[in-house]
């Protein structure tokens, strides 16, 4: 058995990744290290907690003492670094913690991985490092980095630290840059779960600007499969874009959700735009497709329907996620909307 350290495994994509590893592979033990911020929730993993191949340790990736303790639980074959502050709006309100976790935390995990002889280090990055597109074109791995939000800048910094680790120390580092994910267990501050949760309660749906911004949506399991494939077969030092070839204007996604839930469009509220709002993301994942044979499996129409149905059934989980500090966040972000 090889052990994979998954950082940030109690969040949206990390928990889906762990579930997929347990369901679809047999050769890995999984150690999940997560500091359980507002976005990390062990309920996301309740169904697999007792699996003998899985264990959890509470640890902050920017804290050297806790992380040394994590690495001492090894030997670790690989590290997949999901742990991050991940929400653009929060990075606008409070950038400091994004630098601490996303930049300093990544450097610490890189350093420890090198010191402990970890054979594969995978950084889970984002298409946001490339900045914003106009009406045409797609991001390739050669597109220059031009991050616009503090979140995107912190992720770009982490990518460059990964590059430096590879170039300077020949550390076996891989980077994936993915577009917007949707699916189960996404914290309801992000567009799709937020709109579903509000619509279910007949609350207003806050759309930034005119809702004309475009995102490329990929089902989270397709992203997880891409990560596993790159981890197992990717070439160290290489970057792999991951995308769904599935562009949607925000307003059309919001209308689709309302339609699926049989709710009126009068719930839509156009609100003040996000500062520095990236206009359009579109990602070219030819490299991943041609070199590693990855393809998205989930078609969007059925994927988004299944996602809406999933959130509809998660009344208790949604209520828990939207309790306490979420209310303060919501009021600060959206005021009286
Ligand atoms: P998320 O916010 O749902 O989860 C982040 C997890 O990291 C949480 O469990 C949180 O507790 C944990 N965490 C935060 N700070 C930590 C710290 N200092 N130490 C240890 N754990 C910490 O995020 P997500 O949407 O699952 O994103 C996971 C990764 O994928 C991030 O690196 C993000 O940049 C990247 N990504 C996300 C998307 C997307 O659409 N959501 C797309 C591309 C890339
Ligand atoms: O592209 C990958 C990125 O996708 C990841 O790196 C980030 O971690 C992830 O959060 C996501 O970033 P976005 O900023 O694109 O996602 P978000 O769900 O916050 O917003 C999607 C779009 O919807 C964006 O154009 C802003 C808009 N929006 C969002 C919210 C929360 C609204 O119009 N209203 C809202 O209330």
């Amino acid at each position: 058995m090889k052990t994979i350290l998954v950082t940030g495994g109690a969040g949206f994509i990390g928990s889906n990744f762990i579930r997929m590893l347990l369901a679809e592979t047999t050769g890995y033990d999984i150690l999940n290290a997560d500091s359980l911020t507002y976005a990390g929730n062990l309920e996301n993993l309740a169904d697999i907690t007792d699996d003998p191949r899985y264990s959890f340790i509470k640890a902050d990736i920017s804290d050297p003492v806790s992380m040394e303790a994590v690495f001492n639980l090894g030997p670790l074959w690989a590290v997949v670094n999901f742990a991050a502050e991940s929400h653009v709006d929060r990075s606008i309100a409070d950038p400091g913690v994004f630098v601490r976790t996303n930049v300093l935390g990544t450097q610490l995990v890189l350093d420890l991985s090198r010191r402990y002889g970890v054979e594969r280090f995978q950084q889970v990055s984002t298409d946001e490092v490339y900045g914003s597109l106009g009406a045409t074109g797609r991001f390739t791995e050669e597109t220059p980095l031009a991050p616009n939000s503090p979140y995107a800048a912190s992720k770009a910094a982490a990518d460059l630290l990964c590059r430096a680790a590879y170039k300077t120390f020949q550390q076996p580092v891989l980077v994936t840059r993915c577009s917007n994910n949707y699916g189960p267990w996404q914290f309801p501050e992000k567009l799709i779960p937020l709109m579903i949760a509000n619509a279910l309660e007949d609350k207003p749906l806050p759309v930034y600007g005119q809702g004309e911004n475009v995102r490329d949506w990929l089902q989270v399991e397709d992203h997880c499969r891409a990560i596993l494939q790159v981890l197992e077969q990717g070439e160290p030092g290489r970057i792999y874009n991951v995308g769904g070839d599935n562009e949607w204007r925000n307003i059309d996604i919001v209308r689709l959700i309302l339609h699926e839930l049989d709710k009126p469009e009068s719930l839509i509220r156009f609100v003040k735009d996000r500062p520095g709002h990236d206009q359009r993301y579109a990602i070219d994942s030819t490299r991943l497709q041609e070199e590693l044979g990855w393809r998205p499996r989930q078609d969007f129409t059925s994927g988004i329907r299944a996602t809406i149905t999933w959130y509809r059934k998660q009344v208790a989980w949604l209520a828990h996620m939207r309790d306490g500090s979420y209310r303060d966040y919501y009021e600060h972000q959206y005021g009286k909307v």
Side-chain angles (χ1 to χ4, degrees):
M1 282 299 230
K2 293 172 171 172
T3 301
I4 301 179
L5 170 64
V6 172
T7 69
F12 165 46
I13 308 175
S15 62
N16 278 285
F17 182 71
I18 290 172
R19 189 171 286 100
M20 185 204 70
L21 277 183
L22 292 173
E24 297 183 9
T25 69
T26 51
Y28 302 120
D29 286 330
I30 297 131
L31 174 58
N32 173 14
D34 194 302
S35 65
L36 302 179
T37 67
Y38 77 93
N41 182 5
L42 291 177
E43 279 175 59
N44 297 6
L45 292 159
D47 56 322
I48 56 97
T49 302
D50 295 333
D51 192 306
R53 291 166 54 203
Y54 169 78
S55 50
F56 172 75
I57 179 164
K58 188 166 188 281
D60 179 335
I61 61 159
S62 67
D63 174 34
V65 175
S66 330
M67 289 312 291
E68 184 101 38
V70 171
F71 276 75
N72 275 324
L73 295 171
L76 304 172
W77 170 67
V79 172
V80 184
N81 189 33
F82 290 93
E85 289 293 335
S86 69
H87 193 38
V88 172
D89 293 324
R90 289 187 192 249
S91 81
I92 294 165
D94 181 15
V97 65
F98 284 72
V99 175
R100 193 167 71 234
T101 291
N102 301 2
V103 183
L104 299 179
T106 300
Q107 185 60 53
L108 178 64
V109 183
L110 274 168
D111 288 343
L112 285 167
S113 298
R114 194 164 63 251
R115 196 142 64 72
Y116 280 76
V118 169
E119 289 178 45
R120 310 281 278 182
F121 180 99
Q122 186 158 346
Q123 176 67 4
V124 182
S125 186
T126 167
D127 60 359
E128 298 204 11
V129 298
Y130 297 122
S132 182
L133 291 166
T136 58
R138 296 198 295 172
F139 300 129
T140 72
E141 290 84 353
E142 272 69 48
T143 302
L145 301 187
N148 292 320
S149 69
Y151 161 70
S154 69
K155 293 294 289 186
D159 284 13
L160 293 178
L161 294 170
C162 288
R163 174 190 158 91
Y166 172 73
K167 293 278 183 188
T168 307
F169 307 111
Q170 293 78 51
Q171 194 170 344
V173 174
L174 303 126
V175 175
T176 48
R177 292 182 179 147
C178 190
S179 61
N180 288 62
N181 287 210
Y182 70 93
W185 311 114
Q186 186 168 32
F187 192 78
E189 64 188 347
K190 306 283 165 61
L191 180 77
I192 289 180
L194 185 138
M195 296 299 159
I196 298 172
N198 281 16
L200 285 172
E201 294 181 352
D202 298 306
K203 286 189 176 150
L205 274 51
V207 174
Y208 297 156
Q210 292 306 306
E212 298 285 337
N213 304 65
V214 172
R215 297 291 182 265
D216 168 10
W217 292 96
L218 181 71
Q219 213 276 347
V220 62
E221 285 169 23
D222 279 323
H223 183 193
C224 291
R225 285 205 183 84
I227 290 169
L228 181 60
Q229 220 167 330
V230 170
L231 183 69
E232 291 180 329
Q233 301 159 29
E235 191 184 311
R238 212 150 166 74
I239 292 160
Y240 297 87
N241 281 352
V242 189
D245 227 347
N246 177 42
E247 292 180 47
W248 283 76
R249 291 188 315 163
N250 294 336
I251 188 66
D252 296 328
I253 292 269
V254 171
R255 289 199 177 115
L256 175 90
I257 290 169
L258 287 170
H259 179 77
E260 287 295 323
L261 292 173
D262 206 14
K263 298 284 184 180
E265 289 195 8
S266 56
L267 287 176
I268 295 172
R269 296 284 186 286
F270 292 102
V271 299
K272 192 168 154 293
D273 209 352
R274 173 185 278 177
H277 198 170
D278 288 337
Q279 180 54 38
R280 175 173 163 261
Y281 302 147
I283 198 137
D284 181 341
S285 50
T286 307
R287 173 178 291 175
L288 181 63
Q289 303 207 18
E290 289 189 350
E291 293 184 11
L292 303 186
W294 173 87
R295 297 272 182 288
R297 293 186 190 172
Q298 181 73 64
D299 107 277
F300 186 69
T301 312
S302 56
I304 192 76
R305 268 201 195 122
T307 299
I308 292 169
T309 306
W310 186 89
Y311 284 98
R312 240 182 158 150
K313 291 184 183 154
Q314 300 299 322
V315 180
W317 182 83
L318 270 179
H320 184 189
M321 293 300 101
R322 297 162 84 221
D323 214 5
S325 68
Y326 181 87
R327 286 199 200 141
D328 300 337
Y329 165 75
Y330 197 91
E331 204 164 309
H332 178 263
Q333 180 65 19
Y334 299 101
K336 295 255 171 283
V337 172

